Amino acid sequence: MIAAIASFFGMIIRVIYNLVNNNYFLSIIIFTILTKLILFPLTLMQMKSMENMNKIGPEDQRIREKYKNDKNKQAEELTKLYAENKINPLGGCLPLLIQIPIIFAMFYIVKQPLTYIKQIPNDEIVNYTKQYLNKEEVSQKEVRAYELQIAKQYDLLDMKVTENFDLGEIPSNYFSKDQNNKAHAISLLVPILTIVISMFSTKLQQNTSTMTEEQIEMSKTNNLMMPLLSGFIAYTMPLALGIYWLFGNIISIIQQLIIKRIVKSKQERLTLKEGGEK
């Protein structure tokens, strides 16, 4: 299933790539914007769900503590609480579940761009691999492993950002002893920025004023672990994925700020209206 999704997304990236004069960097940016726009309704749903869950956080915690020895009563009271506030506790999970196969598909795409973006037949990629490795026979594992190098070697996909580095580089290879595989120092900025931006995005989503102390403590761990995981993936995968992740987080922050401003404006209008009625 993931391979099928990767083929579909790869086809979209290829169309964009052709439209922007074979600019791989710009293609990834545009593709990221498109996916964020398509997923925006789900992102809005997630943010509203999180906001509502934050508002009832203290009451939720009170019920859990009060009925900690009676799980049936606890579940009954929590269900009642959610129903009264028109909250679906799983509402914030749907956007995350949908994004998981997209992320996995991007893993495939950035590591095998000839297969999923250029959609070159496997037999042809096998022949390129034989030439590149100077071998008469190659395994499918070798074919998959060397797609990025082959794309560069035979100019099958222009991944250059500047003359010094390209989106096929893997930041962790900066420390490689193999000079032919060594990544540029600039590539290390991507995982670092991914961590910083991801931490800011995660923090922006939370409203600690409506959270219990226990929830705040739990969120501190989550606020650290998820950005570090994002940074690690960006560090060990081709730069194209890091750029997708980094720019996606920047767009998410912009979306969150816009939504928060809209919500705040609505609340202010409601407050003024209620004050006028009084």
Side-chain angles (χ1 to χ4, degrees):
M1 184 185 73
I2 299 298
I5 296 173
S7 293
F8 177 68
F9 287 157
M11 180 181 65
I12 294 174
I13 294 174
R14 186 178 77 250
V15 170
I16 298 171
Y17 179 78
N18 292 333
L19 289 174
V20 296
N21 196 29
N22 299 346
N23 189 317
Y24 188 44
F25 176 78
L26 189 56
S27 299
I28 294 295
I29 296 296
I30 294 174
F31 177 75
T32 307
I33 294 172
L34 285 176
T35 56
K36 285 296 181 181
L37 287 175
I38 292 171
L39 293 174
F40 181 72
L42 293 177
T43 301
L44 183 59
M45 181 196 303
Q46 180 187 19
M47 290 187 65
K48 285 182 177 179
S49 177
M50 291 179 65
E51 185 68 24
N52 291 333
M53 289 297 290
N54 283 336
K55 286 179 181 178
I56 66 167
E59 181 64 15
D60 181 291
Q61 192 63 29
R62 186 190 69 78
I63 291 172
R64 292 180 187 276
E65 184 63 29
K66 183 177 180 180
Y67 300 106
K68 63 182 178 181
N69 297 321
D70 187 348
K71 296 300 180 182
N72 290 331
K73 183 63 176 177
Q74 183 187 87
E76 181 184 334
E77 290 297 317
L78 287 174
T79 300
K80 184 179 178 181
L81 176 66
Y82 298 149
E84 288 175 351
N85 290 274
K86 298 179 180 180
I87 293 174
N88 179 359
L90 299 178
C93 298
L94 181 60
L96 294 176
L97 291 175
I98 290 177
Q99 290 184 58
I100 288 173
I102 295 177
I103 293 296
F104 277 110
M106 289 302 294
F107 286 179
Y108 280 53
I109 290 169
V110 300
K111 293 195 76 173
Q112 297 176 257
L114 300 182
T115 298
Y116 294 105
I117 297 178
K118 298 295 288 186
Q119 296 192 346
I120 296 173
N122 185 66
D123 290 346
E124 194 172 334
I125 300 175
V126 168
N127 289 331
Y128 278 119
T129 308
K130 289 177 180 178
Q131 293 176 41
Y132 182 77
L133 297 177
N134 194 24
K135 295 172 65 175
E136 292 187 1
E137 295 296 331
V138 293
S139 66
Q140 281 300 314
K141 184 177 180 180
E142 288 174 313
V143 172
R144 291 191 297 270
Y146 288 96
E147 276 202 29
L148 286 170
Q149 292 92 323
I150 290 168
K152 298 179 196 178
Q153 180 72 23
Y154 299 103
D155 294 324
L156 299 175
L157 182 70
D158 187 1
M159 294 182 283
K160 286 185 178 180
V161 179
T162 70
E163 287 297 322
N164 295 321
F165 77 107
D166 59 66
L167 295 188
E169 292 187 4
I170 298 174
S172 60
N173 284 346
Y174 171 72
F175 302 100
S176 173
K177 294 180 180 179
D178 182 0
Q179 292 301 315
N180 293 325
N181 199 35
K182 193 175 179 66
H184 195 280
I186 295 176
S187 65
L188 293 174
L189 286 175
V190 173
I192 293 172
L193 288 174
T194 297
I195 293 173
V196 173
I197 297 298
S198 182
M199 289 181 71
F200 181 71
S201 177
T202 304
K203 193 174 181 63
L204 190 63
Q205 291 179 34
Q206 296 177 337
N207 182 3
T208 54
S209 63
T210 58
M211 295 170 66
T212 64
E213 290 185 9
E214 184 178 346
Q215 288 173 323
I216 292 174
E217 287 301 316
M218 289 176 63
S219 70
K220 287 180 180 178
T221 302
N222 182 60
N223 290 350
L224 181 63
M225 293 303 296
M226 292 308 294
L228 287 177
L229 177 61
S230 300
F232 176 76
I233 292 173
Y235 177 70
T236 56
M237 292 291 288
L239 273 175
L241 182 65
I243 293 296
Y244 170 81
W245 209 311
L246 175 62
F247 198 72
N249 276 328
I250 292 173
I251 295 175
S252 293
I253 289 172
I254 295 172
Q255 289 177 338
Q256 290 170 45
L257 291 173
I258 292 173
I259 292 171
K260 283 180 179 289
R261 186 168 184 177
I262 291 172
V263 170
K264 184 179 179 181
S265 179
K266 285 184 178 180
Q267 289 176 341
E268 289 175 349
R269 287 200 299 269
L270 284 172
T271 302
L272 289 172
K273 185 178 179 180
E274 289 173 357
E277 290 176 350
K278 291 179 181 179

